[in-house]
Amino acid sequence: MKEIDQAASTLADARAAWVLRRDAADALGQAAEQAIRVLQQHRKDKDADVRPAAERALGRASAALAGMPPLRGYSLEELAQACAKADQRIVEPDGEGFVVTIETANGRKQRVTLQPREGRRGKLIVLTTRCGKATPDSIAWALRANTDLALGALALVKEDDEEWLVLRSCHLPGETTPLEIKAAVKELAHYGDWIERKLSGAEDLE
C-alpha cells in the first residue's frame, strides 16, 4: 500500500519528471490489474465470507473504472434502480422504499424489498426477502442455517397475522454504493429462493 500511495503521489505531481510519472502510472496499472484478477478468481471461493468480500471489492473497482464518485451517500431510489435489468430484475416503488422482483436461475421469482429504517446507529437501508411460513421445525433449522450465511441473517417477522421467516441484511446509506446494493440484492434473492424451496418441502431440511 505504501508503494501504491507513493506511485499515486508521483503521478499527481505535475512538477515530477515525466519518466517518473510514466513509471508510476505503469506501476499503478499493474497493481490494479493484479488485484482485479485475484479478486475475480475468488468470486466463487468456497469460503462463505470471502465470496461477498471479493464481490464487494470488484464492485468498488468497477465503480471507480466507470468514473462513479466514491461513497457519496446515494438516494434509496438510485440504489434500487441500480438493481434493474430488463426481463431479469424489475424495480418498483413499495411504500417508502422499493421492491426488486428477480428471475432466479431455476425459473422462479424472488422479491427483495429495500426499505429505509431508523436504527440505533442512525438511518439504515434494510433488504428483506420472504422465505416461508414459520414453524417450529423451520425456526430451528433457520437458527442453525444462520451460522453459514455470509450476508444477512434469517429473522422472524409477523405480517398479516402470520409469522414468516425472512432473509434480511442492513446497510448504512453513506457507506454503500449502487454496485454493492445490487450484489447484496442478487445474493439475498439467490439464497432466499434456496431457503424457500427448503421450507416448502421441495428440498430436504438439512
Side-chain angles (χ1 to χ4, degrees):
M1 290 302 297
K2 289 182 179 180
E3 291 177 357
I4 290 175
D5 288 342
Q6 183 177 353
S9 296
T10 300
L11 183 59
D13 186 359
R15 296 172 297 178
W18 69 267
V19 68
L20 295 178
R21 298 183 70 206
R22 179 203 64 189
D23 291 347
D26 286 341
L28 288 170
Q30 291 174 16
E33 180 184 2
Q34 181 179 355
I36 290 172
R37 291 190 185 281
V38 171
L39 288 167
Q40 288 279 14
Q41 292 171 5
H42 291 279
R43 295 181 76 173
K44 304 297 182 182
D45 197 278
K46 293 181 180 180
D47 191 288
D49 293 316
V50 172
R51 286 195 305 273
E55 193 71 38
R56 287 194 298 271
L58 284 167
R60 290 193 294 272
S62 296
L65 189 61
M68 295 175 64
L71 298 179
R72 64 174 177 79
Y74 296 91
S75 71
L76 185 58
E77 182 173 5
E78 288 176 309
L79 295 172
Q81 291 300 335
C83 302
K85 186 174 183 180
D87 300 324
Q88 293 186 33
R89 296 189 297 272
I90 308 301
V91 179
E92 299 172 296
D94 181 49
E96 295 182 355
F98 296 85
V99 60
V100 185
T101 303
I102 300 173
E103 286 277 354
T104 58
N106 51 32
R108 292 158 54 89
K109 291 184 179 181
Q110 193 74 18
R111 290 162 53 90
V112 180
T113 62
L114 294 79
Q115 293 290 337
R117 296 283 174 84
E118 285 287 343
R120 285 179 294 181
R121 296 178 60 188
K123 292 183 178 180
L124 294 171
I125 298 171
V126 180
L127 275 55
T128 305
T129 187
R130 184 186 286 186
C131 299
K133 290 185 179 180
T135 66
D137 287 344
S138 66
I139 292 171
W141 177 85
L143 290 173
R144 292 191 296 270
N146 270 333
T147 61
D148 296 323
L149 292 174
L151 176 69
L154 283 159
L156 191 64
V157 299
K158 191 170 185 178
E159 297 177 359
D160 302 325
D161 295 325
E162 290 188 292
E163 289 192 319
W164 298 82
L165 280 171
V166 300
L167 186 58
R168 175 171 289 177
S169 67
C170 298
H171 306 262
L172 293 172
E175 298 182 12
T176 191
T177 67
L179 288 170
E180 289 175 351
I181 286 293
K182 181 173 72 172
V185 165
K186 291 168 64 178
E187 185 92 349
L188 257 66
H190 172 76
Y191 283 105
D193 177 68
W194 176 76
I195 293 166
E196 186 176 49
R197 284 185 281 119
K198 288 276 189 181
L199 298 182
S200 68
E203 296 185 17
D204 292 335
L205 287 177
E206 295 180 354

